[in-house]
Amino acid sequence: MKKLTRNRSSLQGAVSYNFKQPQLLEQALTHTSALEDDTASPFERLEFLGDSVLDLIIAKILYLHRADGAALNEGQMTETRARLVSKDGLADVAHDIGL
């Protein structure tokens, strides 16, 4: 439990937001494969929604903003978004913020 509390604090610090219902954060950070039984989490529907929101945010950033001012074409935006929201891409971000 101590590790989970440290991870929650790390995430809240990284995103500059204190979650009002930390138990929901714990559920969101717990993959179904880590549960004791094989029943699907009711939060898998929320996972679908969260993935869609993340895709939209990344797409907007890629579409509207580039540090060097150059625009990406559709293929480059799609490839970059896929890389950023992939399991490895998100794991890198989680590692960077100490999650």
Side-chain angles (χ1 to χ4, degrees), residues 32-63:
T32 305
S33 64
L35 299 175
E36 294 293 323
D37 55 35
D38 290 336
T39 59
S41 166
F43 294 96
E44 288 180 353
R45 290 177 54 85
L46 289 175
E47 178 185 1
F48 169 79
L49 181 61
D51 289 348
S52 298
V53 170
L54 181 60
D55 280 344
L56 179 62
I57 291 168
I58 297 298
K60 179 182 177 184
I61 291 168
L62 292 172
Y63 186 83

